Amino acid sequence: MAEGRSYLDSLLNLESLRKSLVRQEDTIIFSLIERAKYPINSTLYDDDKPPAHLSDSLFHFLLKESEALQAKAGRYTSPEENAFFPDKLPSPLLPPPDHTPVLHPPGAAININDKVLNLYLKTLLPLIAADGDDRNYAATAASDLNCLQALSRRIHFGKFVAEVKFRDAPEDYTPAIRAKDREALMKLLTFESVEETIKKRVEKKAMVFGQDVDLNENDSNGDYKVDPTIVSKLYGEWVIPLTKSVQVEYLLRRLD
Ligand SMILES: C=C(O[C@@H]1C=C(C(=O)O)C=C[C@H]1O)C(=O)O
């Protein structure tokens, strides 16, 4: 138990949280590369024409059932994890770990996965997957789940970042929180140079991770498994703004 506390305490500074965000980039980019192996496979997502015996799409079914299974194994006892279908999840079979909560409870409950799911299905998928249908639905949905969980974890990590920023400078954040001034909070928590570095680094990682490795050639042929500019755009237009919006929402609840 003391061990658990010191582990969480060691995570609680901006530098180590940022290191974790950098590491999460690898997971996100590899999961996108995996999903890009399959064509778009629209039939998988079609809620209007579900397969026999199902009331929703096969994708919906797989996501919900996977979350139910993972909930039993305790996935959602972790404050880093947020379910896409949090209603009526089964209870964990084991007692939750005995950690002192790091997050302030009203903010810990924030879940914007409806936005994450919508963004993923409507905007990101058409950008990374080729047109077509190879009927490889179960494998496609499994790789969707990996992408969604990695993106969701990254975006909701904003709660930890906000908690640390608040603890580091409560005197700066408190007036804006009391005034419910979203704009002022956004300004306080934004570090533009950090964001610029991230956008450049994820583009470079997508180049490095997404090329074929050929022992006979030194240079890549310029073919990447996921377009690096799309990864940079994903971060610049969606991942970073959503992480910041989680931070603002968290801070607004920080004094409740
Ligand atoms: C996450 C942070 O807060 C903001 C959001 C960032 C992001 O989502 O990557 C980066 C810098 C900040 O503008 C941070 O300060 O590290």
Side-chain angles (χ1 to χ4, degrees), residues 181-232:
D181 188 341
R182 286 189 155 77
E183 220 172 290
L185 288 171
M186 190 59 98
K187 222 169 172 178
L188 281 169
L189 63 83
T190 294
F191 291 81
E192 269 164 24
S193 66
V194 175
E195 294 182 20
E196 286 315 307
T197 306
I198 291 172
K199 283 187 266 175
K200 286 192 195 125
R201 188 178 49 239
V202 292
E203 184 165 348
K204 187 164 180 190
K205 282 186 179 179
M207 286 178 185
V208 175
F209 301 164
Q211 55 186 281
D212 283 327
V213 176
D214 186 335
L215 291 183
N216 298 319
E217 282 177 37
N218 290 327
D219 296 325
S220 105
N221 56 10
D223 277 347
Y224 301 113
K225 289 168 184 134
V226 168
D227 182 346
T229 60
I230 289 173
V231 177
S232 179

Side-chain angles (χ1 to χ4, degrees), residues 67-78 88-97:
E67 287 199 332
L69 178 63
Q70 295 188 4
K72 284 192 202 166
R75 183 180 188 103
Y76 303 105
T77 59
S78 162
K88 301 194 200 119
L89 277 176
S91 306
L93 298 174
L94 299 172

Side-chain angles (χ1 to χ4, degrees), residues 14 17-18 21 154 157-158 161 165 186 189-195 198 235 239-244 247:
L14 199 49
L17 292 178
R18 283 181 175 158
L21 288 174
R154 198 290 178 191
F157 214 69
V161 176
K165 287 180 180 172
M186 190 59 98
L189 63 83
T190 294
F191 291 81
E192 269 164 24
S193 66
V194 175
E195 294 182 20
I198 291 172
Y235 264 78
V239 172
I240 293 175
L242 286 175
T243 308
K244 286 164 70 169
Q247 291 186 60

Side-chain angles (χ1 to χ4, degrees), residues 23-179:
R23 181 62 185 82
Q24 289 181 47
E25 291 164 3
D26 303 2
T27 313
I28 290 174
I29 295 166
F30 276 117
S31 69
L32 297 177
I33 287 173
E34 282 305 290
R35 178 56 184 88
K37 278 199 306 201
Y38 306 104
I40 201 139
N41 285 342
S42 325
T43 313
L44 171 63
Y45 310 96
D46 193 345
D47 282 319
D48 295 331
K49 278 187 254 146
H53 314 299
L54 294 183
S55 51
D56 297 299
S57 65
L58 185 61
F59 168 76
H60 196 108
F61 169 75
L62 274 157
L63 202 59
K64 230 173 161 167
E65 293 290 317
S66 304
E67 287 199 332
L69 178 63
Q70 295 188 4
K72 284 192 202 166
R75 183 180 188 103
Y76 303 105
T77 59
S78 162
E80 288 182 31
E81 300 292 343
N82 295 272
F84 284 85
F85 300 107
D87 295 337
K88 301 194 200 119
L89 277 176
S91 306
L93 298 174
L94 299 172
D98 190 11
H99 289 149
T100 310
V102 169
L103 299 175
H104 192 60
I110 291 168
N111 182 334
I112 61 160
N113 273 338
D114 52 341
K115 284 197 182 124
V116 178
L117 185 57
N118 199 41
L119 157 76
Y120 179 78
L121 293 176
K122 302 262 157 56
T123 312
L124 184 58
L125 216 40
L127 291 175
I128 61 163
D131 286 339
D133 194 324
D134 68 357
R135 304 179 63 85
N136 226 333
Y137 301 135
T140 305
S143 76
D144 286 326
L145 179 63
N146 284 338
C147 291
L148 285 165
Q149 288 181 330
L151 287 166
S152 169
R153 191 179 313 115
R154 198 290 178 191
I155 288 164
H156 290 93
F157 214 69
K159 296 177 198 175
F160 293 90
V161 176
E163 175 64 24
V164 164
K165 287 180 180 172
F166 177 81
R167 287 192 197 183
D168 284 349
E171 64 290 354
D172 293 345
Y173 284 95
T174 299
I177 296 171
R178 293 216 193 283

